[in-house]
Every structure is written in structure tokens, then in C-alpha cells.
Amino acid sequence: SQTIHQWPATLVQPVGSPLSLECTVEGTSNPNLYWYRQAAGRGLQLLFYSVGIGQISSEVPQNLSASRPQDRQFILSSKKLLLSDSGFYLCAWSVQGRGYGYTFGSGTRLTVV
Amino acid sequence: AQSVAQPEDQVNVAEGNPLTVKCTYSVSGNPYLFWYVQYPNRGLQFLLKYITGDNLVKGSYGFEAEFNKSQTSFHLKKPSALVSDSALYFCAVRDSYSGAGSYQLTFGKGTKLSVIP
């Protein structure tokens, strides 16, 4: 069966420090991968999506970047965190095909102090 | 372009009463519709989906949703609410039309459901 792993669960980082959040998927090949941010427990903001290795699309210009070094690995990074980067970050994957929904990871709570 | 609206930020319902969480959508082709639930500090969990077929879709935890093409709605329902149903609910849509970005789900802003004991 397919599973998605996201870590860490919580993270407290000082302003100006780097960030690396990792997401991996097991049990499937060539998934679509997504990074979302959720502020204050409400709406989802799509940050990045990827349809293949090295293929990254950015939805919102910001202080963050994403990479997909392997088929089932998706990394969210920042060189210097801002206070406004605080939030709940969610990784998700889907099969390539419109009749399929997303499967989400458990999320990372990032607090920038 | 595809879009989805959840007109209520919050829905309050007494335990044991029926609940409805509303969702309307806009797509160019036929819609693929989804409902997700999120508990505090957790990822979203899939509840149910409509792709084609019967307009009444049954899902997890006793939830169901009714697809209404003429009203472009996909409301989530449950006959008898439980306190444990209290959570954030998201409706999502994907357009069957083969256009740029059509492989992406568009999510509503979420509706907070509170079931009062």
C-alpha cells in the first residue's frame, strides 16, 4: 500500500536560519507531489507542485523553494526564514489522472521566532 | 478555470442532529468532487468523492454527499452528528476538461464544524 512520510512534525527556528522539510512517498511510482501551507488552521495555499523529477512549478513568489531529487522525494527549503514563514506545512501526493484525489502527510508545524 | 466555494466559515450543530456542510463549484467540463476532513494539527483525510454515477455518494465515518448538477453543489451530510465529528472540512474540485493545470485539485477555504454535546 502507498504511504507518505513527512518530517519533522514540529520545528522552531530562528529568523534568518535555513529550512529543510522532507516528504517521501512509498508504494507508488511517478506521483504528482505538492507542498501546501496552511495559516491559522484555515485555508490551504498551494506553494509548489511537481509532476516529475526535477520538474517544479511555483504557485506563489516567496522566500521558499522546492526540489525533487528523486521520484518519490520532495523537499521544501529556505535559505533564510522570515517570521511570515510560520505555519502548518502539508505535503501531498496523487496518482497522475484526474479521477484521483490527494493523499496528505501528517504535516509540519513551523514556528519562526 | 475551476473554483469551489464553501459559503459557511463555521457550522454549529447539536449532537444527534443532522448536519450539512455546503459546497458549490464551477468547472468547464464535468466535475470530480472530493471531501476531506482535518483534525487539529493533522493532515487532511479523504472522506468521499464523486466521479460519475449515483448522485448520492457514501463515504467514511457515516458521511455522505449529494451531487446536484443543476445547482452545481456537492453538500456533505450526516444523519446524526457526533461530538467527534468536530473538525475542519474541505471541499475540492477537479475539472475533467483537459486544460492547463487540470490535474490539480482546487480546495475551498474550509468550514469548521462544531458539534455541541
Side-chain angles (χ1 to χ4, degrees):
Chain A
S1 63
Q2 302 94 351
T3 55
I4 179 169
H5 302 280
Q6 189 180 342
W7 68 92
T10 60
L11 192 59
V12 179
Q13 292 283 98
V15 168
S17 64
L19 172 73
S20 181
L21 302 181
E22 188 165 342
C23 173
T24 60
V25 180
E26 296 179 355
T28 189
S29 297
N30 198 29
N32 289 338
L33 295 170
Y34 309 86
W35 277 111
Y36 283 88
R37 178 167 60 199
Q38 186 178 33
R42 295 313 300 257
L44 301 171
Q45 179 185 34
L46 178 62
L47 301 175
F48 302 94
Y49 65 91
S50 172
V51 299
I53 295 175
Q55 301 179 58
I56 308 295
S57 296
S58 174
E59 289 294 299
V60 181
Q62 61 211 327
N63 186 41
L64 302 170
S65 62
S67 61
R68 186 171 176 173
Q70 301 180 42
D71 181 44
R72 291 169 289 179
Q73 184 184 30
F74 205 24
I75 298 172
L76 183 69
S77 303
S78 173
K79 293 182 179 178
K80 290 185 178 181
L81 284 169
L82 306 172
L83 288 173
S84 57
D85 292 324
S86 294
F88 191 54
Y89 289 82
L90 290 160
C91 180
W93 75 274
S94 71
V95 173
Q96 298 212 16
R98 298 185 184 87
Y100 298 93
Y102 294 178
T103 299
F104 284 83
S106 54
T108 296
R109 172 72 59 191
L110 172 65
T111 304
V112 182
V113 296
Chain B
Q2 58 194 36
S3 65
V4 61
Q6 293 182 243
E8 302 154 317
D9 284 343
Q10 176 140 1
V11 171
N12 297 322
V13 62
E15 186 176 23
N17 282 3
L19 70 87
T20 299
V21 183
K22 296 179 180 178
C23 172
T24 59
Y25 66 89
S26 174
V27 295
S28 300
N30 292 318
Y32 299 138
L33 294 155
F34 303 81
W35 274 103
Y36 289 84
V37 60
Q38 185 184 30
Y39 298 100
N41 293 310
R42 302 294 298 274
L44 278 67
Q45 297 177 34
F46 170 79
L47 277 179
L48 50 81
K49 68 177 180 181
Y50 172 84
I51 303 299
T52 186
D54 194 348
N55 289 344
L56 186 63
V57 179
K58 295 188 182 297
S60 307
Y61 313 119
F63 284 93
E64 58 189 26
E66 187 170 10
F67 171 65
N68 188 316
K69 188 172 184 178
S70 63
Q71 297 185 7
T72 61
S73 67
F74 190 56
H75 300 331
L76 181 70
K77 299 181 179 183
K78 188 174 183 180
S80 179
L82 301 173
V83 172
S84 57
D85 293 329
S86 298
L88 190 57
Y89 290 81
F90 289 94
C91 181
V93 67
R94 177 177 284 175
D95 199 334
S96 66
Y97 172 69
S98 180
S102 60
Y103 46 80
Q104 291 185 38
L105 282 182
T106 296
F107 288 86
K109 61 180 180 165
T111 298
K112 184 178 180 181
L113 173 67
S114 293
V115 181
I116 304 163

